[in-house]
Amino acid sequence: MLIIALGGMFYGMKMLNADQGELVGYAIGAPDSNNECDLQVIVTTMMNFTDGPEETISPQSATPNWALWAERHFVVIDDATGQQIPFRKGGFQSKDISEMQFGSAEVILHAKLEAGKTYTMHYVRDDQMPEKYVKKLTGAAKEFRRETFEPDY
């Protein structure tokens, strides 16, 4: 009985200490006239607080370089070509994500996905650490959700 109890306790501790993934909020807009879908990813206040952009858009500016930060933290790869899809900074508003849905956020980042293609999105919590989280995406309309990105390290 003692062996079973210790084994159960060890297993329970292992499960509690396991990486449960990371929640990332995103939406994908309907295809437009160019057959492209707008991927919109929320950068939460906590993401910015713990690992926000350190670089600015120029040495004379105090504006954070969100595009560079997104390139390092939200890596979206086209599965067919292996190319990384660039992000651009959006505002606090999106036609697919209402303020009531995302709550407290810094910005919404946007990337263009080709309709019907598949992509792999990695969320890299801190570009100095090996932890990254992964989710498969398809270029098709998807309403806003916070979804768990599974550990991939």
Side-chain angles (χ1 to χ4, degrees):
M1 278 313 260
L2 181 60
I3 292 173
I4 293 172
L6 288 174
M9 190 170 79
F10 177 73
Y11 180 76
M13 291 301 290
K14 182 179 175 184
M15 295 310 291
L16 284 173
N17 290 328
D19 191 336
Q20 303 300 316
E22 285 286 329
L23 275 178
V24 176
Y26 71 97
I28 301 174
D32 62 13
S33 60
N34 293 328
N35 206 30
E36 293 179 327
C37 302
D38 187 25
L39 169 63
Q40 303 142 60
V41 180
I42 297 298
V43 177
T44 66
T45 303
M46 196 59 171
M47 286 176 186
N48 186 26
F49 180 72
T50 58
D51 186 29
E54 295 174 5
E55 295 85 2
T56 57
I57 57 173
S58 74
Q60 297 79 25
S61 174
T63 304
N65 189 340
W66 284 105
L68 179 62
W69 185 89
E71 179 183 310
R72 296 176 181 167
H73 290 75
F74 291 115
V75 180
V76 177
I77 304 294
D78 181 331
D79 289 347
T81 65
Q83 296 254 323
Q84 184 171 347
I85 307 300
F87 275 92
R88 69 187 185 289
K89 177 187 176 282
F92 291 96
Q93 299 297 321
S94 161
K95 65 180 182 171
D96 297 305
I97 304 173
S98 73
E99 194 169 338
M100 295 296 289
Q101 289 177 306
F102 72 76
S104 178
E106 295 295 320
V107 295
I108 298 176
L109 298 171
H110 298 267
K112 291 289 184 189
L113 305 180
E114 193 174 320
K117 289 182 89 173
T118 59
Y119 300 85
T120 302
M121 181 171 161
H122 293 273
Y123 169 51
V124 183
R125 187 175 26 206
D126 177 350
D127 61 359
Q128 303 300 314
M129 300 174 73
E131 286 86 358
K132 61 182 177 177
Y133 303 86
V134 69
K135 188 78 162 173
K136 287 288 193 181
L137 305 177
T138 302
K142 179 175 181 12
E143 67 181 20
F144 176 75
R145 289 275 184 259
R146 285 179 178 81
E147 293 189 1
T148 301
F149 281 48
E150 298 298 325
D152 183 34
Y153 55 92

